[in-house]
Every structure is written in structure tokens, then in C-alpha cells.
Amino acid sequence: MRGSRRSTSRRVPRRAAAGRRSFTSTLKALDDLAASGAKISVRITDLDRGTSVLAGDDFVTLPVAGLGVVPLLIEVAAAFESGQLEPLEIIDRAQLDTVTVAGVWQHLKAPALPLSDLAVLTASTGDALAANALLARVGLPAVRARIEQLGLARSALLDRFRDERGPDDAPHFALGSARELAEVFAALVNSQVVSPGVSAQVAEWLSLNHDLSLVASATGLDPFSHENDEHGLLFINKTGRDAGIRVEAGVLAGPRAGVSYALIVCFDDLSIYHRMRAHDAFRTLGVDLMEYVF
């Protein structure tokens, strides 16, 4: 009986565990997407070693949709810390141009909210109206200067959110590369973005994100309450969505390892099949990441 107990509770050999952590499934899914004409940028970095675990065209600049709010949130948090902005300053919704692409503020009765609440809405629900309010308050030049100060040479915030983009508007809300996105999230959890206080504030906002439908779907976390996981999983993320664009970046850490990751997929959204194939690649990456950190 003692021998039987030992054999049934035996840990997976290290060699077998290493095999499970090869990201073979992710590479196949991304290769299939690339073969169909999708543009892909992917980066996974081991937080303990600081080395690349997986990289594919991670230097290529691509549209990142709503994930572009991350440098905006960094600028807002830095302005809060320096005293340039008052977190309880009230912003009136009536002063903003209507935008209905995403978010909940447009559906709320409250006609005005403080800046701190707008930051929460921006991070947690991808609220376009709240993000536009923050951007109008801090100014696009300030966010661009912050991006430059952070050393993000392949990232840019081009414009505010719009329901429709005309010929005189920027073609996208934001641009970025998987390498720089992964670096920003790694720096956030390592308290290296502007200051420890700013890093902690932005990470706290991002920890409220409700969109766990892509890479994060493999974590099994509650989309509405996952700040303190009972299994010791550390997780923050942000997603971006637009027509033919799916993006996610974040940090995932478990008992074995921790990683920062970013995946950008730009694809022809010709049918629900094309869209679901792109989503499946994100979920495959999520499973491989969970096997890596646990």
C-alpha cells in the first residue's frame, strides 16, 4: 500500500513537464492563422529569467485597438501622483462627443463622474467614453510624451475613440508591438513604470479588467472578481478589439513561473469562422501559458 501511494502521487518528471511547456500547440495555431493571411505579432517573456520564451515578429508595429489605453492610464496615474490632476475632479459627460463603440458609462444615469472612476471604467470595461474623457483632460501630446519617456519606439496613441473614422481621422486608435506591450506589463508588476506608486495604481486598475474571453479564458478566473485568486494565480491583462483586430497583453504568474505576454492578430473578419479561428489561437496560447506557470 505504501508503494502504491507513492506511485499514484508521484510528481510529473521534470523532463515531461518541460515537454508540456514547449508552446507547440500555440505555434501550430499561429502558423495556421498566418497561412490564412493574418498578421501576427507575439511575445512571451519569462519574468524570473528576463528571457524570451516565444517571439514571432514581435518588433512589428500593428494596430492594437483598445489596448492603447494602457499608456493613457499610466499618464493619468502619474498626473495623480504628481498632483497635476485631482482624482476626484468631476467630468461632465455632456461636454464630450458621443461615442458608442464600447463601455457602460453611456448607459448609466450619472451625467458626471470623477477622474478616478473614469480610469476604473476605462481599465475594467474598455469604456470608450471614459477613455475619451481622460484623454481630453490630460491631452494627447502628454500621452505621446509619456510613451516616448517609457522608451516605446514602436507604440503610439493616434486619436480618441470614434464610432466612425473618416478620411481626415487617424486610421486607428493606437499602434503597438508585442515586444513593447509585454515589456510594459512586465515593468508594471516590477514597479518600474514611472514610480512604484504609479506602477501599483495602473496594475490595480488593470486587475479589474472584465474581458477574460481570449488568452485569459484558460485561467478559470471569475471575470468580475479575480484580484485575489485562492490558488495563488497573479494575473493582470488588457484586451483590444476592432474589426479584424484582436489583441491581448498581460502578466500571468503561478507557483512554477511567471510570464509577461502579448499577442496581436490582424485578420480578415469575413465570417464568424474567421473570427473564431483567431479567438481559438488566443485560447490555445492561454492553455500553454497555464501549463508553463503551473
Side-chain angles (χ1 to χ4, degrees), residues 10-206:
R10 188 161 48 97
R11 293 177 61 85
V12 176
R14 177 66 67 176
R15 190 174 299 128
R20 288 210 322 271
R21 302 166 71 197
S22 63
F23 292 93
T24 302
S25 298
T26 295
L27 288 171
K28 183 181 185 306
L30 295 180
D31 283 344
D32 290 344
L33 272 180
S36 70
K39 296 179 181 179
I40 298 167
S41 179
V42 61
R43 173 74 176 217
I44 304 171
T45 300
D46 189 296
L47 292 176
D48 295 325
R49 300 182 179 89
T51 56
S52 172
V53 175
L54 176 66
D57 287 342
D58 61 340
F59 58 89
V60 176
T61 299
L62 294 170
V64 297
L67 211 151
V69 303
V70 173
L72 170 61
L73 291 171
I74 292 171
E75 175 59 25
V76 170
F80 285 173
E81 183 177 72
S82 67
Q84 293 179 339
L85 286 182
E86 169 55 49
L88 296 181
E89 177 185 340
I90 301 297
I91 301 298
D92 190 341
R93 185 171 56 194
Q95 299 174 352
L96 305 170
D97 292 335
T98 300
V99 59
T100 61
V101 291
V104 298
W105 193 19
Q106 60 183 310
H107 304 294
L108 301 180
K109 297 299 183 183
L113 290 172
L115 288 172
S116 56
D117 286 355
L118 296 178
V120 170
L121 286 177
T122 299
S124 62
T125 69
D127 197 300
L129 192 57
N132 283 354
L134 294 177
L135 186 57
R137 186 63 183 85
V138 299
L140 189 56
V143 180
R144 289 174 172 170
R146 181 65 63 185
I147 290 172
E148 183 177 351
Q149 184 264 331
L150 293 171
L152 305 178
R154 298 182 179 274
S155 300
L157 187 61
L158 302 178
D159 194 14
R160 61 180 174 85
F161 283 106
R162 299 176 185 271
D163 286 337
E164 296 182 4
R165 295 196 171 277
D168 296 329
D169 300 323
H172 299 286
F173 172 68
L175 303 174
S177 70
R179 180 186 302 176
E180 291 187 347
L181 290 172
E183 287 174 350
V184 167
F185 274 82
L188 283 172
V189 298
N190 288 325
S191 301
Q192 297 171 343
V193 174
V194 183
S195 71
V198 169
S199 297
Q201 178 62 87
V202 176
E204 180 182 337
W205 285 334
L206 293 172

